[in-house]
Amino acid sequence: MTPGATLTARPLAVGRAAVLGSPVEHSLSPVLHRAAFAALGLDWSYDRIECDADRLPRLVAECGPEWVGFSVTMPGKFAALATATERTDRAGRVGSANTLARVDGGWIADCTDIDGAAALLTAVGADGAGSGPRGLVVGAGGTSLPMIAALADVGYTEVVVASRSWERAAGALRCAESFGLAAEWVALEPAALAGVDVDVVASTVPAKALERGVVGVLAGLAPAVADVIYDPWPTPLAAAAAERGATVAGGLTMLLAQAYRQCELFTGRPAPRAAMRDALTAATGIPL
């Protein structure tokens, strides 16, 4: 089963799914997937389970046949990939998985965060072909990797990774090269960033991780700014970029789009997108 594969509905009268993470109490995944199951007429449950990376392999192994899948947030994404019996090619190249779905004989790992990041880029008009070939990814942690993959998916050919040190960026640069992107590193400092020429800025770091001087420079670098954060919203970067006339979108767009593919992997049916979008808007008060 790979992205784009034909879906086969699961004939389960009772199915179970959950989001795994630590902390996990504030996850919005139950809002999305409970709405999806209801819209599909499935009497299935979706829960939050506090679970760190060490506990994840045993928890998944002990699940009965009624379990159809897991959404996986930090710190379990690397463990999820290692635990799976199968993996999509893109999850393997990114090196982590935010999704485990039941397959014959075990579990398949996928990284639907790539779908979410691609939707976020599209929302700001950064589709590569129309806006240009070069993107700036702020941060080099786990969330930067699906963003890099998404840049390749939507048509970019070059990426600049901005982080505190080259050593921190090494994994992100390798990921970029695996997806066919020409990659370079720049220090996450105002003086170094000021001369960067890019078509989109995609921030993958917490809002508090960016100093005011860095925010000021990033906000004026490109006509499109995608920020994976949704709480708080707007972030200082998003607000500053919007004031300068940039097109801005935030993490709820990414969260929603990654959940569409998760739902399809869990259920074997097309995601009820309108129901999921409406549920997220109702829960957050932010129109999507």
Side-chain angles (χ1 to χ4, degrees):
M1 186 184 301
T2 57
T6 301
L7 299 176
T8 302
R10 300 182 187 275
L12 293 177
V14 177
R16 299 182 68 185
V19 56
L20 308 179
S22 183
V24 77
E25 65 270 15
H26 298 302
S27 172
L28 290 169
S29 290
V31 171
L32 291 162
H33 290 288
R34 288 170 185 170
F37 294 163
L40 293 171
L42 298 172
D43 186 21
W44 290 6
S45 65
Y46 188 99
D47 300 304
R48 298 179 182 90
I49 299 178
E50 188 76 16
C51 178
D52 61 18
D54 291 336
R55 184 187 172 205
L56 186 147
R58 181 175 179 180
L59 185 153
V60 172
E62 292 177 348
C63 286
E66 75 278 10
W67 284 91
V68 298
F70 296 100
S71 309
V72 184
T73 187
M74 294 304 289
K77 293 185 179 184
F78 302 108
L81 185 70
T83 297
T85 51
E86 302 177 33
R87 62 178 63 174
T88 62
D89 175 70
R90 63 181 187 172
R93 283 196 279 171
V94 166
S96 68
N98 73 321
T99 306
L100 289 171
R102 176 77 73 178
V103 293
D104 291 341
W107 300 89
I108 189 167
D110 192 18
C111 183
T112 72
D113 280 335
I114 298 172
D115 302 304
L120 184 54
L121 293 169
T122 299
V124 297
D127 59 1
S131 60
R134 198 163 191 249
L136 173 68
V137 173
V138 182
T143 308
S144 73
L145 306 181
M147 182 61 73
I148 288 168
L151 283 168
D153 274 1
V154 302
Y156 279 72
T157 57
E158 301 176 35
V159 63
V160 180
V161 177
S163 67
R164 299 297 179 189
S165 69
W166 183 91
E167 288 76 14
R168 290 188 180 186
L173 296 173
R174 286 193 298 270
C175 177
E177 292 170 357
S178 78
F179 282 94
L181 295 171
E184 62 181 89
W185 172 78
V186 65
L188 191 57
E189 300 172 355
L193 292 166
V196 175
D197 181 19
V198 292
D199 307 285
V200 62
V201 171
S203 179
T204 67
V205 301
K208 63 183 179 181
L210 296 178
E211 299 171 357
R212 182 177 300 179
V214 170
V215 167
V217 175
L218 290 174
L221 284 183
V225 173
D227 196 325
V228 303
I229 302 302
Y230 59 81
D231 185 17
W233 186 258
T235 63
L237 174 59
E243 288 178 2
R244 298 190 185 193
T247 303
V248 175
L252 287 180
T253 297
M254 181 173 176
L255 177 70
L256 181 61
Q258 64 82 30
Y260 291 155
R261 185 58 189 164
Q262 280 187 341
C263 173
E264 292 171 351
L265 290 169
F266 295 164
T267 67
R269 304 182 189 185
R273 297 188 174 207
M276 296 171 76
R277 182 182 63 247
D278 292 347
L280 189 58
T281 294
T284 63
I286 300 175
L288 292 165

